[in-house]
């Protein structure tokens, strides 16, 4: 990014970082996309020795399995497609606001970007790991009650001063296991689960395509929409598939394609351009796929399946 463009970006984000709702944003769209990277990262100063282990655990609820549910719920349906962001430590981290100083550092870690229009994927330099939040210093403890410091050994679990396990974060606020369970309960009340293709088409704002090919042992289980006070949000659909084989998993996430649902993601693993039925797509670590076709943003997330199987599933959507 050229110096003058970076300065414009920094000013635009600085003007908007305190907005209560990003729907009030009046700056350039490209700045909004990075603006939405992360409240969780704003003004942060991290330690180094244990940062990967700590962040990996704290972010475990928001890892980029591309599930997007936390984003939809947090935004109250006004911008459910909060940019699926951009910070991979031991997976990925979904964040919402970032200060200009961090944005500049973030851009410096991008090895390559693949732009599909309403989907942008970045391959990040995994060697350059973001630091640990200064706001959390003295607030994180290991299982034995020892304060986690820059000299701490890697930890497997994180706790607060009261001995409650920390499993997530929201901005600078650390979320305990009990608080997350309550959030999950409230989120579950917003789910509309459907089993038939007819119901999928009833709620969705787009033609729902299901895979004609599934690996042995897989079967369609259900689709999930989310509702607010205004009713079911037909722009977003999550599809879940059951498997008879342990260690194998398949999920799909569909979005009606527009500026609201556009998303940006980053990954510390391999990111490469591929084709799905002649359409440009991006594949990450040979197991996740994203592309846009016929006005729909498609995302497939798998575990335990090889590259050929993942591509075959995607190409069989009808």
């Amino acid at each position: 990014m050229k110096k003058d463009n970076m300065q414009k970006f920094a000013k635009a984000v600085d003007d908007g970082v305190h907005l209560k709702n990003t729907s009030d944003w009046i700056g350039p769209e490209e700045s909004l996309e990075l603006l939405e990277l992360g409240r969780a990262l704003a003004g942060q100063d991290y330690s180094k020795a244990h940062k990967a282990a700590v962040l990996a655990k704290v972010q475990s609820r928001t890892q980029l399995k591309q599930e997007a549910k936390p984003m939809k719920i947090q935004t109250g349906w006004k911008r459910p497609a909060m940019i699926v962001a951009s910070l991979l430590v031991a997976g990925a981290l979904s964040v919402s606001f970032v200060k200009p100083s961090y944005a500049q550092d973030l851009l410096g870690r991008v090895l390559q970007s693949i732009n599909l229009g309403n989907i942008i994927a970045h391959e990040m330099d995994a060697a350059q790991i973001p630091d640990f939040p200064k706001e959390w210093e003295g607030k994180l403890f290991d299982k034995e009650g020892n304060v986690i410091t820059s000299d701490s050994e890697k930890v497997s679990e994180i706790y607060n001063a009261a001995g409650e396990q920390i499993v997530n974060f929201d901005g600078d606020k650390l979320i305990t296991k009990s608080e997350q369970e309550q959030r999950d309960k409230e989120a579950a009340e917003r789910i509309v689960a459907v089993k038939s293709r007819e119901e999928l088409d009833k709620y969705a704002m787009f033609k729902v395509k299901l895979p004609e090919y599934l690996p042995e042992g897989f079967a369609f289980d259900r689709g999930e929409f989310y509702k607010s006070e205004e009713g079911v949000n037909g722009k977003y659909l999550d599809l879940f598939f059951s498997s008879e084989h342990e260690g194998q998993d398949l999920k799909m996430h569909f979005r009606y394609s527009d500026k609201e649902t556009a998303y940006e993601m980053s990954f510390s693993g391999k990111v490469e351009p591929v084709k799905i039925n002649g359409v440009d797509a991006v594949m990450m670590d040979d197991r996740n796929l994203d592309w846009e076709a016929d006005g729909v943003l498609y995302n497939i997330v798998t575990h335990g399946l090889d590259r050929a199987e993942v591509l075959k599933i995607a190409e069989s959507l009808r």
Side-chain angles (χ1 to χ4, degrees):
M1 181 178 286
K2 294 181 179 179
K3 183 177 180 180
D4 56 342
N5 289 337
M6 176 59 73
Q7 290 174 340
K8 290 178 181 178
F9 164 77
K11 183 180 185 304
V13 175
D14 198 38
D15 289 343
V17 73
H18 299 298
L19 287 176
K20 187 174 182 180
N21 191 320
T22 55
S23 63
D24 298 328
W25 174 253
I26 59 174
E29 186 70 23
E30 59 270 21
S31 296
L32 174 60
E33 292 179 351
L34 280 175
L35 172 66
E36 294 189 59
L37 277 177
R39 187 193 306 272
L41 298 173
Q44 296 181 0
D45 178 20
Y46 302 73
S47 64
K48 299 188 185 308
H50 62 287
K51 58 192 174 186
V54 173
L55 282 180
K57 286 294 174 183
V58 174
Q59 72 173 358
S60 61
R61 289 276 182 168
T62 51
Q63 282 188 335
L64 181 68
K65 295 175 181 176
Q66 316 267 7
E67 295 187 27
K69 275 188 229 169
M71 293 177 287
K72 288 184 254 187
I73 293 164
Q74 290 171 1
T75 55
W77 295 108
K78 292 183 180 178
R79 277 192 65 86
M82 191 103 62
I83 302 303
V84 181
S86 295
L87 214 11
L88 274 255
V89 181
L93 183 62
S94 177
V95 293
S96 54
F97 288 91
V98 65
K99 286 186 175 180
S101 59
Y102 193 86
Q104 185 170 3
D105 176 65
L106 182 68
L107 291 171
R109 297 193 299 111
V110 176
L111 297 178
Q112 69 160 325
S113 296
I114 299 175
N115 191 331
L116 304 179
N118 282 337
I119 302 172
I120 302 175
H122 302 292
E123 181 178 349
M124 309 297 286
D125 185 353
Q128 298 186 45
I129 300 175
D131 293 322
F132 190 80
K134 184 176 181 180
E135 288 77 9
W136 297 347
E137 289 181 1
K139 298 179 181 180
L140 298 180
F141 302 80
D142 63 20
K143 197 169 186 177
E144 285 70 42
N146 301 309
V147 176
I148 297 173
T149 70
S150 59
D151 298 322
S152 299
E153 297 293 330
K154 290 185 178 181
V155 296
S156 59
E157 294 179 345
I158 300 171
Y159 297 82
N160 62 17
E164 301 172 294
Q165 187 176 359
I166 302 298
V167 297
N168 201 352
F169 63 91
D170 185 358
D172 294 330
K173 175 178 170 57
L174 295 163
I175 307 300
T176 65
K177 185 176 181 180
S178 61
E179 289 172 332
Q180 185 62 53
E181 288 173 347
Q182 179 60 33
R183 290 184 175 209
D184 291 344
K185 180 180 177 181
E186 294 172 357
E189 294 173 353
R190 301 183 186 181
I191 293 175
V192 177
V194 299
K195 292 283 189 177
S196 70
R197 187 160 194 160
E198 291 72 21
E199 284 186 288
L200 294 176
D201 287 331
K202 172 184 175 183
Y203 291 117
M205 292 179 59
F206 48 86
K207 174 65 177 177
V208 178
K209 295 182 179 180
L210 297 178
E212 292 186 350
Y213 169 79
L214 288 173
E216 181 182 355
F218 277 89
F220 172 69
D221 181 62
R222 70 191 185 281
E224 289 185 356
F225 295 92
Y226 297 85
K227 62 182 178 180
S228 65
E229 295 178 356
E230 290 75 33
V232 175
N233 189 330
K235 284 189 174 184
Y236 301 85
L237 168 61
D238 297 333
L239 298 179
F240 298 87
F241 298 82
S242 61
S243 175
E244 298 175 356
H245 305 294
E246 186 176 351
Q248 291 188 346
D249 190 37
L250 170 63
K251 297 183 182 71
M252 298 183 183
H253 308 285
F254 299 168
R255 304 180 181 194
Y256 178 84
S257 179
D258 62 15
K259 290 298 182 182
E260 177 189 21
T261 62
Y263 60 94
E264 188 166 353
M265 56 192 169
S266 296
F267 203 70
S268 61
K270 180 174 68 172
V271 176
E272 62 174 317
V274 294
K275 295 280 187 180
I276 302 298
N277 295 321
V279 174
D280 289 335
V282 59
M283 192 169 205
M284 293 173 288
D285 267 2
D286 292 334
R287 62 184 182 87
N288 296 347
L289 275 171
D290 291 78
W291 75 100
E292 178 176 356
D294 301 322
V296 181
L297 305 180
Y298 293 97
N299 165 239
I300 295 180
V301 184
T302 73
H303 294 276
L305 299 178
D306 62 33
R307 174 190 176 92
E309 291 273 66
V310 177
L311 290 169
K312 190 173 181 179
I313 293 168
E315 291 172 344
S316 76
L317 287 176
R318 301 288 186 273

